[in-house]
Amino acid sequence: MGESLYGNIIMLVRLAWRVLALVFVGLGLVGAVVPGLPTTVFLLLGAWASSHGWPELNRWLLTHPKFGPPIKQWQNHRAVPRQAKYAAAAMMSISAILIFWSAIFTWVKVLLIGLMVSVLFWLCTRPESGDDRSKAD
């Protein structure tokens, strides 16, 4: 009985990783065509989740001609392409303006904009390619 319970738990965990991977990859693919919805972040999360429970999807993401290179750059060098940084900065700036002019509480505005500034600062400190890291060492 213990063996079949263990097998069922393994199957449920694998299913959970697959569902999570599908959600992230789905959001990433939608983000590729919907302005304002990030693509790279969701595909990175999809690659991470698929590496835990869906090797075929992970392999597809890593070998994809458009999505594979930035995922590999992140996995190997923690690098973010310059174009992705610019896109993130632009979307965060637009979001900050919309939040500033919204009718939400001031403390929420400060918190959200502060969080975006922190993330943008962190993002800008990432290398832009694997080559940048070797130059700094």
Side-chain angles (χ1 to χ4, degrees):
M1 178 165 168
E3 231 175 83
S4 70
L5 178 62
Y6 179 75
N8 288 340
I9 290 172
I10 295 295
M11 282 180 30
L12 285 174
V13 168
R14 186 175 300 139
L15 178 64
W17 281 117
R18 287 180 175 210
V19 167
L20 195 59
L22 273 180
V23 168
F24 286 142
V25 170
L27 286 170
L29 294 176
V30 170
V33 294
V34 174
L37 186 64
T39 301
T40 305
V41 171
F42 286 124
L43 291 177
L44 287 173
L45 290 168
W48 168 75
S50 66
S51 72
H52 291 290
W54 202 344
E56 298 84 6
L57 178 60
N58 189 258
R59 196 169 18 263
W60 179 80
L61 285 169
L62 292 175
T63 58
H64 191 279
K66 181 169 175 71
F67 305 131
I71 293 171
K72 287 178 189 173
Q73 272 192 345
W74 176 256
Q75 288 179 338
N76 297 330
H77 307 286
R78 294 299 187 243
V80 179
R82 183 176 295 173
Q83 183 179 359
K85 290 180 181 184
Y86 288 158
M91 290 299 113
M92 286 186 206
S93 298
I94 292 168
S95 297
I97 291 167
L98 293 173
I99 289 169
F100 179 78
W101 290 108
S102 70
I104 59 176
F105 295 112
T106 303
W107 68 269
V108 175
K109 292 179 186 183
V110 170
L111 182 69
L112 291 174
I113 293 172
L115 181 63
M116 283 191 287
V117 168
S118 299
V119 169
L120 189 56
F121 176 77
W122 175 84
L123 185 63
C124 289
T125 63
R126 302 301 97 200
E128 292 179 358
S129 72
D131 297 336
D132 293 349
R133 180 162 286 201
S134 61
K135 288 178 190 173
D137 291 339

